[in-house]
Amino acid sequence: GANTTVSNGVVFNHTGSLTLGDAAADVLSFAGGVTATAPSSISAAGHISTSGSGALTLGDSNTGVTLTKDVWLTTAGGALHVGGWIEGTDTGVNAQSLTLNPTSAGAVNVDGTVGVNTPLKTLTLTHSNAAMFSDVVKTNASVVLTNTTATHDITFAGDLSTPTLITTNSGYNIKLLGANTTVSNGVVFNHTGS
């Protein structure tokens, strides 16, 4: 359905596949939080969110997330954790984009690679209390770092490869720690942290 609403917390304990939305306009609201680490695979599309302190946890070391359309992952301050890899399904102008927004109170952790086999179009971090991308990140258009709490870190621990890297006039810190960081267009670091 275009609108899925679950008022209590959800844990997907089944070990088959999980499909969360099939269109970019879909809205899936899990007010009490959502955890999906048991499914064998996860496909996502549209706006997936939690409310209050509800955490959003998708995937683990054995389960990745495949974006079939553009995806927005949002919490109201709860932790936002993707435990496995993230891949798109299309290339070029039809590539999928991912937006992460746990607000200023929630941390982002992406444990696996992002877009290694099928790069995302754009990866956007709208806001966070800190963000950690632990492995390789690839996009075919841009990485956009809109905001994060002042003095807190946005860390790319693995290699980052993107044509465009955009930062904003906010007090967060950026750490590019991979052995190979590649940005093909000019970069202006507008953030005011380190």
Side-chain angles (χ1 to χ4, degrees):
N3 291 280
T4 298
T5 303
V6 182
S7 55
N8 295 321
V10 178
V11 177
F12 290 101
N13 289 309
H14 70 290
T15 56
S17 64
L18 173 64
T19 301
L20 299 170
D22 60 3
D26 286 352
V27 177
L28 299 93
S29 176
F30 302 95
V34 59
T35 298
T37 57
S40 58
S41 65
I42 300 172
S43 297
H47 301 257
I48 303 168
S49 67
T50 65
S51 302
S53 61
L56 196 163
T57 302
L58 299 179
D60 59 16
S61 60
N62 297 310
T63 302
V65 178
T66 299
L67 312 185
T68 57
K69 300 292 181 183
D70 290 348
V71 171
W72 294 259
L73 300 180
T74 305
T75 75
L80 199 167
H81 182 206
V82 180
W85 61 93
I86 300 171
E87 291 288 342
T89 51
D90 298 308
T91 59
V93 296
N94 295 317
Q96 287 72 36
S97 293
L98 174 63
T99 300
L100 306 173
N101 184 15
T103 74
S104 62
V108 170
N109 283 279
V110 178
D111 295 346
T113 59
V114 179
V116 166
N117 297 307
T118 307
L120 307 187
K121 182 177 182 180
T122 296
L123 172 65
T124 301
L125 178 65
T126 302
H127 212 330
S128 76
N129 194 43
M132 168 64 79
F133 298 90
S134 296
D135 212 322
V136 176
V137 173
K138 289 186 179 181
T139 77
N140 65 19
S142 59
V143 171
V144 181
L145 308 176
T146 304
N147 206 353
T148 279
T149 302
T151 74
H152 290 219
D153 299 336
I154 300 172
T155 303
F156 291 88
D159 295 349
L160 171 65
S161 178
T162 183
T164 302
L165 175 61
I166 298 173
T167 70
T168 61
N169 184 21
S170 298
Y172 54 81
N173 305 320
I174 296 176
K175 295 183 177 181
L176 304 176
L177 306 180
N180 293 283
T181 295
T182 304
V183 182
S184 53
N185 296 322
V187 179
V188 177
F189 288 103
N190 290 308
H191 69 293
T192 58
S194 63

